[in-house]
Amino acid sequence: MTVIALLSVAPVKEESMAADVAKAVAALDEFDVEYETNPMGTVVEADDVDTLLDAVAAAHKAVDADRVSTFLKIDDKRTSDRRAQEKVEAVERELGREARSGTE
């Protein structure tokens, strides 16, 4: 089984959040998960939901701020073992191109 999630952890503040977000992302390295960060969050993959939730908790706790906002969306499809990249590739096959603008 593969559990895929979209995670966004950030302090609630006016100035740059990059250093805090970096701490949250770095916390994921302590767990048996794969991840890829993009401008809107981090896609995290784990073999089971417990591992995923432990990694997410560590990412949340890594941000040392008065107020922390965490968004988590989990896809726990228990009947298949499809990786996140395979989902992207399926969309790209349907499109007949990469799933981004400006590509041919």
PDB file of all heavy atoms in Angstrom, residues 33-70:
ATOM      1  N   VAL A  33       9.858   8.114   4.285  1.00  0.00           N
ATOM      2  CA  VAL A  33       8.898   8.688   3.342  1.00  0.00           C
ATOM      3  C   VAL A  33       9.671   9.270   2.160  1.00  0.00           C
ATOM      4  O   VAL A  33      10.855   9.575   2.271  1.00  0.00           O
ATOM      5  CB  VAL A  33       8.019   9.800   3.977  1.00  0.00           C
ATOM      6  CG1 VAL A  33       7.193   9.247   5.132  1.00  0.00           C
ATOM      7  CG2 VAL A  33       8.865  10.984   4.442  1.00  0.00           C
ATOM      8  N   GLU A  34       8.979   9.401   1.054  1.00  0.00           N
ATOM      9  CA  GLU A  34       9.511  10.127  -0.087  1.00  0.00           C
ATOM     10  C   GLU A  34       8.701  11.408  -0.194  1.00  0.00           C
ATOM     11  O   GLU A  34       7.513  11.416   0.117  1.00  0.00           O
ATOM     12  CB  GLU A  34       9.374   9.309  -1.367  1.00  0.00           C
ATOM     13  CG  GLU A  34      10.245   8.065  -1.376  1.00  0.00           C
ATOM     14  CD  GLU A  34      10.104   7.279  -2.666  1.00  0.00           C
ATOM     15  OE1 GLU A  34       9.721   7.866  -3.698  1.00  0.00           O
ATOM     16  OE2 GLU A  34      10.376   6.073  -2.627  1.00  0.00           O
ATOM     17  N   TYR A  35       9.349  12.495  -0.641  1.00  0.00           N
ATOM     18  CA  TYR A  35       8.598  13.744  -0.754  1.00  0.00           C
ATOM     19  C   TYR A  35       9.147  14.610  -1.869  1.00  0.00           C
ATOM     20  O   TYR A  35      10.295  14.445  -2.300  1.00  0.00           O
ATOM     21  CB  TYR A  35       8.601  14.517   0.567  1.00  0.00           C
ATOM     22  CG  TYR A  35       9.954  14.975   1.032  1.00  0.00           C
ATOM     23  CD1 TYR A  35      10.485  16.184   0.594  1.00  0.00           C
ATOM     24  CD2 TYR A  35      10.697  14.214   1.917  1.00  0.00           C
ATOM     25  CE1 TYR A  35      11.733  16.614   1.026  1.00  0.00           C
ATOM     26  CE2 TYR A  35      11.943  14.632   2.344  1.00  0.00           C
ATOM     27  CZ  TYR A  35      12.446  15.828   1.901  1.00  0.00           C
ATOM     28  OH  TYR A  35      13.680  16.254   2.325  1.00  0.00           O
ATOM     29  N   GLU A  36       8.300  15.505  -2.340  1.00  0.00           N
ATOM     30  CA  GLU A  36       8.693  16.507  -3.332  1.00  0.00           C
ATOM     31  C   GLU A  36       7.961  17.796  -2.993  1.00  0.00           C
ATOM     32  O   GLU A  36       6.738  17.823  -2.888  1.00  0.00           O
ATOM     33  CB  GLU A  36       8.323  16.056  -4.739  1.00  0.00           C
ATOM     34  CG  GLU A  36       8.751  17.046  -5.803  1.00  0.00           C
ATOM     35  CD  GLU A  36       8.462  16.574  -7.210  1.00  0.00           C
ATOM     36  OE1 GLU A  36       8.230  15.371  -7.424  1.00  0.00           O
ATOM     37  OE2 GLU A  36       8.453  17.442  -8.109  1.00  0.00           O
ATOM     38  N   THR A  37       8.736  18.865  -2.824  1.00  0.00           N
ATOM     39  CA  THR A  37       8.165  20.159  -2.473  1.00  0.00           C
ATOM     40  C   THR A  37       7.919  20.972  -3.734  1.00  0.00           C
ATOM     41  O   THR A  37       8.729  20.969  -4.660  1.00  0.00           O
ATOM     42  CB  THR A  37       9.117  20.908  -1.525  1.00  0.00           C
ATOM     43  OG1 THR A  37       9.275  20.119  -0.341  1.00  0.00           O
ATOM     44  CG2 THR A  37       8.582  22.274  -1.143  1.00  0.00           C
ATOM     45  N   ASN A  38       6.782  21.648  -3.753  1.00  0.00           N
ATOM     46  CA  ASN A  38       6.441  22.545  -4.853  1.00  0.00           C
ATOM     47  C   ASN A  38       6.002  23.878  -4.241  1.00  0.00           C
ATOM     48  O   ASN A  38       5.976  24.009  -3.018  1.00  0.00           O
ATOM     49  CB  ASN A  38       5.373  21.913  -5.760  1.00  0.00           C
ATOM     50  CG  ASN A  38       4.074  21.667  -5.039  1.00  0.00           C
ATOM     51  OD1 ASN A  38       3.461  22.577  -4.497  1.00  0.00           O
ATOM     52  ND2 ASN A  38       3.620  20.415  -5.036  1.00  0.00           N
ATOM     53  N   PRO A  39       5.645  24.877  -5.031  1.00  0.00           N
ATOM     54  CA  PRO A  39       5.317  26.187  -4.461  1.00  0.00           C
ATOM     55  C   PRO A  39       4.102  26.201  -3.527  1.00  0.00           C
ATOM     56  O   PRO A  39       3.965  27.113  -2.717  1.00  0.00           O
ATOM     57  CB  PRO A  39       5.040  27.061  -5.689  1.00  0.00           C
ATOM     58  CG  PRO A  39       5.735  26.394  -6.807  1.00  0.00           C
ATOM     59  CD  PRO A  39       5.685  24.932  -6.501  1.00  0.00           C
ATOM     60  N   MET A  40       3.247  25.203  -3.613  1.00  0.00           N
ATOM     61  CA  MET A  40       2.026  25.202  -2.815  1.00  0.00           C
ATOM     62  C   MET A  40       2.031  24.194  -1.670  1.00  0.00           C
ATOM     63  O   MET A  40       1.093  24.136  -0.887  1.00  0.00           O
ATOM     64  CB  MET A  40       0.818  24.917  -3.721  1.00  0.00           C
ATOM     65  CG  MET A  40       0.608  25.986  -4.776  1.00  0.00           C
ATOM     66  SD  MET A  40       0.328  27.624  -4.088  1.00  0.00           S
ATOM     67  CE  MET A  40      -1.274  27.398  -3.352  1.00  0.00           C
ATOM     68  N   GLY A  41       3.070  23.383  -1.575  1.00  0.00           N
ATOM     69  CA  GLY A  41       3.109  22.389  -0.515  1.00  0.00           C
ATOM     70  C   GLY A  41       4.117  21.301  -0.824  1.00  0.00           C
ATOM     71  O   GLY A  41       4.964  21.447  -1.711  1.00  0.00           O
ATOM     72  N   THR A  42       3.997  20.200  -0.122  1.00  0.00           N
ATOM     73  CA  THR A  42       4.893  19.064  -0.302  1.00  0.00           C
ATOM     74  C   THR A  42       4.060  17.805  -0.451  1.00  0.00           C
ATOM     75  O   THR A  42       3.192  17.532   0.377  1.00  0.00           O
ATOM     76  CB  THR A  42       5.846  18.931   0.906  1.00  0.00           C
ATOM     77  OG1 THR A  42       6.618  20.133   1.012  1.00  0.00           O
ATOM     78  CG2 THR A  42       6.786  17.756   0.748  1.00  0.00           C
ATOM     79  N   VAL A  43       4.312  17.056  -1.521  1.00  0.00           N
ATOM     80  CA  VAL A  43       3.669  15.760  -1.708  1.00  0.00           C
ATOM     81  C   VAL A  43       4.520  14.740  -0.968  1.00  0.00           C
ATOM     82  O   VAL A  43       5.729  14.662  -1.179  1.00  0.00           O
ATOM     83  CB  VAL A  43       3.543  15.407  -3.205  1.00  0.00           C
ATOM     84  CG1 VAL A  43       2.973  14.002  -3.379  1.00  0.00           C
ATOM     85  CG2 VAL A  43       2.672  16.431  -3.920  1.00  0.00           C
ATOM     86  N   VAL A  44       3.877  13.983  -0.093  1.00  0.00           N
ATOM     87  CA  VAL A  44       4.581  13.007   0.736  1.00  0.00           C
ATOM     88  C   VAL A  44       4.002  11.624   0.456  1.00  0.00           C
ATOM     89  O   VAL A  44       2.782  11.457   0.387  1.00  0.00           O
ATOM     90  CB  VAL A  44       4.410  13.330   2.242  1.00  0.00           C
ATOM     91  CG1 VAL A  44       5.214  12.360   3.096  1.00  0.00           C
ATOM     92  CG2 VAL A  44       4.798  14.761   2.540  1.00  0.00           C
ATOM     93  N   GLU A  45       4.882  10.630   0.300  1.00  0.00           N
ATOM     94  CA  GLU A  45       4.462   9.246   0.101  1.00  0.00           C
ATOM     95  C   GLU A  45       5.050   8.373   1.197  1.00  0.00           C
ATOM     96  O   GLU A  45       6.218   8.532   1.550  1.00  0.00           O
ATOM     97  CB  GLU A  45       4.951   8.712  -1.246  1.00  0.00           C
ATOM     98  CG  GLU A  45       4.309   9.364  -2.438  1.00  0.00           C
ATOM     99  CD  GLU A  45       4.813   8.757  -3.733  1.00  0.00           C
ATOM    100  OE1 GLU A  45       4.398   7.633  -4.061  1.00  0.00           O
ATOM    101  OE2 GLU A  45       5.633   9.418  -4.393  1.00  0.00           O
ATOM    102  N   ALA A  46       4.234   7.458   1.700  1.00  0.00           N
ATOM    103  CA  ALA A  46       4.691   6.513   2.723  1.00  0.00           C
ATOM    104  C   ALA A  46       4.049   5.153   2.454  1.00  0.00           C
ATOM    105  O   ALA A  46       3.037   5.062   1.753  1.00  0.00           O
ATOM    106  CB  ALA A  46       4.312   6.999   4.116  1.00  0.00           C
ATOM    107  N   ASP A  47       4.626   4.114   3.042  1.00  0.00           N
ATOM    108  CA  ASP A  47       4.067   2.776   2.871  1.00  0.00           C
ATOM    109  C   ASP A  47       2.801   2.557   3.683  1.00  0.00           C
ATOM    110  O   ASP A  47       1.998   1.689   3.359  1.00  0.00           O
ATOM    111  CB  ASP A  47       5.101   1.710   3.253  1.00  0.00           C
ATOM    112  CG  ASP A  47       6.228   1.621   2.235  1.00  0.00           C
ATOM    113  OD1 ASP A  47       6.009   1.969   1.057  1.00  0.00           O
ATOM    114  OD2 ASP A  47       7.336   1.194   2.619  1.00  0.00           O
ATOM    115  N   ASP A  48       2.636   3.345   4.747  1.00  0.00           N
ATOM    116  CA  ASP A  48       1.439   3.180   5.582  1.00  0.00           C
ATOM    117  C   ASP A  48       1.071   4.513   6.221  1.00  0.00           C
ATOM    118  O   ASP A  48       1.885   5.423   6.323  1.00  0.00           O
ATOM    119  CB  ASP A  48       1.664   2.104   6.647  1.00  0.00           C
ATOM    120  CG  ASP A  48       2.828   2.446   7.561  1.00  0.00           C
ATOM    121  OD1 ASP A  48       2.617   3.245   8.496  1.00  0.00           O
ATOM    122  OD2 ASP A  48       3.938   1.921   7.335  1.00  0.00           O
ATOM    123  N   VAL A  49      -0.167   4.601   6.654  1.00  0.00           N
ATOM    124  CA  VAL A  49      -0.688   5.864   7.180  1.00  0.00           C
ATOM    125  C   VAL A  49      -0.022   6.256   8.504  1.00  0.00           C
ATOM    126  O   VAL A  49       0.154   7.442   8.775  1.00  0.00           O
ATOM    127  CB  VAL A  49      -2.224   5.839   7.288  1.00  0.00           C
ATOM    128  CG1 VAL A  49      -2.692   4.934   8.426  1.00  0.00           C
ATOM    129  CG2 VAL A  49      -2.800   7.228   7.411  1.00  0.00           C
ATOM    130  N   ASP A  50       0.370   5.291   9.313  1.00  0.00           N
ATOM    131  CA  ASP A  50       1.023   5.613  10.584  1.00  0.00           C
ATOM    132  C   ASP A  50       2.353   6.314  10.363  1.00  0.00           C
ATOM    133  O   ASP A  50       2.669   7.305  11.036  1.00  0.00           O
ATOM    134  CB  ASP A  50       1.218   4.357  11.432  1.00  0.00           C
ATOM    135  CG  ASP A  50      -0.102   3.786  11.926  1.00  0.00           C
ATOM    136  OD1 ASP A  50      -1.036   4.573  12.174  1.00  0.00           O
ATOM    137  OD2 ASP A  50      -0.198   2.552  12.053  1.00  0.00           O
ATOM    138  N   THR A  51       3.140   5.822   9.420  1.00  0.00           N
ATOM    139  CA  THR A  51       4.417   6.460   9.088  1.00  0.00           C
ATOM    140  C   THR A  51       4.173   7.867   8.570  1.00  0.00           C
ATOM    141  O   THR A  51       4.860   8.822   8.959  1.00  0.00           O
ATOM    142  CB  THR A  51       5.183   5.632   8.046  1.00  0.00           C
ATOM    143  OG1 THR A  51       5.421   4.319   8.572  1.00  0.00           O
ATOM    144  CG2 THR A  51       6.503   6.288   7.679  1.00  0.00           C
ATOM    145  N   LEU A  52       3.194   8.008   7.696  1.00  0.00           N
ATOM    146  CA  LEU A  52       2.864   9.326   7.149  1.00  0.00           C
ATOM    147  C   LEU A  52       2.482  10.301   8.256  1.00  0.00           C
ATOM    148  O   LEU A  52       2.997  11.422   8.320  1.00  0.00           O
ATOM    149  CB  LEU A  52       1.723   9.217   6.137  1.00  0.00           C
ATOM    150  CG  LEU A  52       1.258  10.555   5.592  1.00  0.00           C
ATOM    151  CD1 LEU A  52       2.152  11.011   4.465  1.00  0.00           C
ATOM    152  CD2 LEU A  52      -0.169  10.508   5.155  1.00  0.00           C
ATOM    153  N   LEU A  53       1.609   9.881   9.153  1.00  0.00           N
ATOM    154  CA  LEU A  53       1.141  10.773  10.215  1.00  0.00           C
ATOM    155  C   LEU A  53       2.260  11.130  11.190  1.00  0.00           C
ATOM    156  O   LEU A  53       2.322  12.268  11.670  1.00  0.00           O
ATOM    157  CB  LEU A  53      -0.055  10.165  10.935  1.00  0.00           C
ATOM    158  CG  LEU A  53      -1.326  10.068  10.082  1.00  0.00           C
ATOM    159  CD1 LEU A  53      -2.412   9.287  10.824  1.00  0.00           C
ATOM    160  CD2 LEU A  53      -1.827  11.434   9.658  1.00  0.00           C
ATOM    161  N   ASP A  54       3.154  10.200  11.461  1.00  0.00           N
ATOM    162  CA  ASP A  54       4.307  10.506  12.324  1.00  0.00           C
ATOM    163  C   ASP A  54       5.195  11.563  11.662  1.00  0.00           C
ATOM    164  O   ASP A  54       5.662  12.496  12.326  1.00  0.00           O
ATOM    165  CB  ASP A  54       5.123   9.246  12.605  1.00  0.00           C
ATOM    166  CG  ASP A  54       4.430   8.276  13.549  1.00  0.00           C
ATOM    167  OD1 ASP A  54       3.451   8.681  14.219  1.00  0.00           O
ATOM    168  OD2 ASP A  54       4.866   7.105  13.604  1.00  0.00           O
ATOM    169  N   ALA A  55       5.423  11.429  10.355  1.00  0.00           N
ATOM    170  CA  ALA A  55       6.249  12.399   9.628  1.00  0.00           C
ATOM    171  C   ALA A  55       5.580  13.764   9.603  1.00  0.00           C
ATOM    172  O   ALA A  55       6.238  14.792   9.807  1.00  0.00           O
ATOM    173  CB  ALA A  55       6.507  11.895   8.206  1.00  0.00           C
ATOM    174  N   VAL A  56       4.282  13.787   9.381  1.00  0.00           N
ATOM    175  CA  VAL A  56       3.537  15.051   9.353  1.00  0.00           C
ATOM    176  C   VAL A  56       3.589  15.731  10.722  1.00  0.00           C
ATOM    177  O   VAL A  56       3.781  16.948  10.815  1.00  0.00           O
ATOM    178  CB  VAL A  56       2.082  14.808   8.907  1.00  0.00           C
ATOM    179  CG1 VAL A  56       1.207  16.008   9.180  1.00  0.00           C
ATOM    180  CG2 VAL A  56       2.051  14.437   7.427  1.00  0.00           C
ATOM    181  N   ALA A  57       3.434  14.963  11.785  1.00  0.00           N
ATOM    182  CA  ALA A  57       3.503  15.541  13.133  1.00  0.00           C
ATOM    183  C   ALA A  57       4.873  16.165  13.378  1.00  0.00           C
ATOM    184  O   ALA A  57       4.974  17.261  13.941  1.00  0.00           O
ATOM    185  CB  ALA A  57       3.205  14.466  14.180  1.00  0.00           C
ATOM    186  N   ALA A  58       5.930  15.489  12.936  1.00  0.00           N
ATOM    187  CA  ALA A  58       7.274  16.038  13.118  1.00  0.00           C
ATOM    188  C   ALA A  58       7.455  17.322  12.312  1.00  0.00           C
ATOM    189  O   ALA A  58       8.066  18.284  12.798  1.00  0.00           O
ATOM    190  CB  ALA A  58       8.317  15.001  12.708  1.00  0.00           C
ATOM    191  N   ALA A  59       6.925  17.355  11.102  1.00  0.00           N
ATOM    192  CA  ALA A  59       7.024  18.566  10.275  1.00  0.00           C
ATOM    193  C   ALA A  59       6.295  19.720  10.945  1.00  0.00           C
ATOM    194  O   ALA A  59       6.786  20.845  10.996  1.00  0.00           O
ATOM    195  CB  ALA A  59       6.467  18.293   8.883  1.00  0.00           C
ATOM    196  N   HIS A  60       5.119  19.448  11.468  1.00  0.00           N
ATOM    197  CA  HIS A  60       4.333  20.479  12.153  1.00  0.00           C
ATOM    198  C   HIS A  60       5.094  21.020  13.372  1.00  0.00           C
ATOM    199  O   HIS A  60       5.199  22.227  13.570  1.00  0.00           O
ATOM    200  CB  HIS A  60       2.974  19.909  12.564  1.00  0.00           C
ATOM    201  CG  HIS A  60       2.130  20.870  13.319  1.00  0.00           C
ATOM    202  ND1 HIS A  60       1.355  21.828  12.704  1.00  0.00           N
ATOM    203  CD2 HIS A  60       1.950  21.036  14.641  1.00  0.00           C
ATOM    204  CE1 HIS A  60       0.727  22.539  13.622  1.00  0.00           C
ATOM    205  NE2 HIS A  60       1.067  22.077  14.811  1.00  0.00           N
ATOM    206  N   LYS A  61       5.642  20.125  14.161  1.00  0.00           N
ATOM    207  CA  LYS A  61       6.347  20.518  15.383  1.00  0.00           C
ATOM    208  C   LYS A  61       7.674  21.216  15.095  1.00  0.00           C
ATOM    209  O   LYS A  61       8.182  21.958  15.939  1.00  0.00           O
ATOM    210  CB  LYS A  61       6.589  19.289  16.263  1.00  0.00           C
ATOM    211  CG  LYS A  61       5.312  18.720  16.846  1.00  0.00           C
ATOM    212  CD  LYS A  61       5.582  17.433  17.589  1.00  0.00           C
ATOM    213  CE  LYS A  61       4.298  16.814  18.085  1.00  0.00           C
ATOM    214  NZ  LYS A  61       4.540  15.500  18.731  1.00  0.00           N
ATOM    215  N   ALA A  62       8.238  21.000  13.904  1.00  0.00           N
ATOM    216  CA  ALA A  62       9.525  21.605  13.554  1.00  0.00           C
ATOM    217  C   ALA A  62       9.429  23.115  13.378  1.00  0.00           C
ATOM    218  O   ALA A  62      10.441  23.812  13.463  1.00  0.00           O
ATOM    219  CB  ALA A  62      10.065  20.973  12.276  1.00  0.00           C
ATOM    220  N   VAL A  63       8.228  23.621  13.136  1.00  0.00           N
ATOM    221  CA  VAL A  63       8.049  25.064  12.962  1.00  0.00           C
ATOM    222  C   VAL A  63       7.816  25.683  14.332  1.00  0.00           C
ATOM    223  O   VAL A  63       6.798  25.444  14.979  1.00  0.00           O
ATOM    224  CB  VAL A  63       6.871  25.370  12.004  1.00  0.00           C
ATOM    225  CG1 VAL A  63       6.644  26.866  11.897  1.00  0.00           C
ATOM    226  CG2 VAL A  63       7.149  24.767  10.639  1.00  0.00           C
ATOM    227  N   ASP A  64       8.798  26.459  14.772  1.00  0.00           N
ATOM    228  CA  ASP A  64       8.748  27.089  16.081  1.00  0.00           C
ATOM    229  C   ASP A  64       8.177  28.496  15.927  1.00  0.00           C
ATOM    230  O   ASP A  64       8.903  29.442  15.627  1.00  0.00           O
ATOM    231  CB  ASP A  64      10.148  27.136  16.689  1.00  0.00           C
ATOM    232  CG  ASP A  64      10.151  27.707  18.092  1.00  0.00           C
ATOM    233  OD1 ASP A  64       9.109  27.657  18.761  1.00  0.00           O
ATOM    234  OD2 ASP A  64      11.208  28.217  18.504  1.00  0.00           O
ATOM    235  N   ALA A  65       6.877  28.611  16.099  1.00  0.00           N
ATOM    236  CA  ALA A  65       6.216  29.907  15.954  1.00  0.00           C
ATOM    237  C   ALA A  65       5.049  29.975  16.929  1.00  0.00           C
ATOM    238  O   ALA A  65       4.600  28.951  17.458  1.00  0.00           O
ATOM    239  CB  ALA A  65       5.713  30.079  14.528  1.00  0.00           C
ATOM    240  N   ASP A  66       4.546  31.176  17.162  1.00  0.00           N
ATOM    241  CA  ASP A  66       3.399  31.346  18.050  1.00  0.00           C
ATOM    242  C   ASP A  66       2.142  30.696  17.484  1.00  0.00           C
ATOM    243  O   ASP A  66       1.276  30.258  18.231  1.00  0.00           O
ATOM    244  CB  ASP A  66       3.114  32.833  18.281  1.00  0.00           C
ATOM    245  CG  ASP A  66       4.201  33.500  19.111  1.00  0.00           C
ATOM    246  OD1 ASP A  66       4.920  32.785  19.844  1.00  0.00           O
ATOM    247  OD2 ASP A  66       4.333  34.730  19.011  1.00  0.00           O
ATOM    248  N   ARG A  67       2.069  30.659  16.138  1.00  0.00           N
ATOM    249  CA  ARG A  67       0.905  30.078  15.476  1.00  0.00           C
ATOM    250  C   ARG A  67       1.373  29.373  14.212  1.00  0.00           C
ATOM    251  O   ARG A  67       2.103  29.939  13.407  1.00  0.00           O
ATOM    252  CB  ARG A  67      -0.085  31.192  15.126  1.00  0.00           C
ATOM    253  CG  ARG A  67      -1.384  30.700  14.573  1.00  0.00           C
ATOM    254  CD  ARG A  67      -2.338  31.866  14.418  1.00  0.00           C
ATOM    255  NE  ARG A  67      -3.573  31.437  13.792  1.00  0.00           N
ATOM    256  CZ  ARG A  67      -4.500  32.252  13.347  1.00  0.00           C
ATOM    257  NH1 ARG A  67      -4.344  33.557  13.464  1.00  0.00           N
ATOM    258  NH2 ARG A  67      -5.589  31.787  12.797  1.00  0.00           N
ATOM    259  N   VAL A  68       0.967  28.119  14.036  1.00  0.00           N
ATOM    260  CA  VAL A  68       1.360  27.309  12.889  1.00  0.00           C
ATOM    261  C   VAL A  68       0.108  26.787  12.205  1.00  0.00           C
ATOM    262  O   VAL A  68      -0.798  26.271  12.861  1.00  0.00           O
ATOM    263  CB  VAL A  68       2.257  26.123  13.309  1.00  0.00           C
ATOM    264  CG1 VAL A  68       2.647  25.273  12.105  1.00  0.00           C
ATOM    265  CG2 VAL A  68       3.489  26.624  14.035  1.00  0.00           C
ATOM    266  N   SER A  69       0.061  26.948  10.890  1.00  0.00           N
ATOM    267  CA  SER A  69      -1.060  26.456  10.098  1.00  0.00           C
ATOM    268  C   SER A  69      -0.589  25.251   9.286  1.00  0.00           C
ATOM    269  O   SER A  69       0.375  25.338   8.527  1.00  0.00           O
ATOM    270  CB  SER A  69      -1.553  27.555   9.150  1.00  0.00           C
ATOM    271  OG  SER A  69      -2.558  27.057   8.305  1.00  0.00           O
ATOM    272  N   THR A  70      -1.275  24.123   9.449  1.00  0.00           N
ATOM    273  CA  THR A  70      -0.937  22.908   8.717  1.00  0.00           C
ATOM    274  C   THR A  70      -2.157  22.410   7.971  1.00  0.00           C
ATOM    275  O   THR A  70      -3.234  22.255   8.554  1.00  0.00           O
ATOM    276  CB  THR A  70      -0.420  21.814   9.677  1.00  0.00           C
ATOM    277  OG1 THR A  70       0.786  22.284  10.281  1.00  0.00           O
ATOM    278  CG2 THR A  70      -0.133  20.518   8.953  1.00  0.00           C
TER     279      THR A  70
END
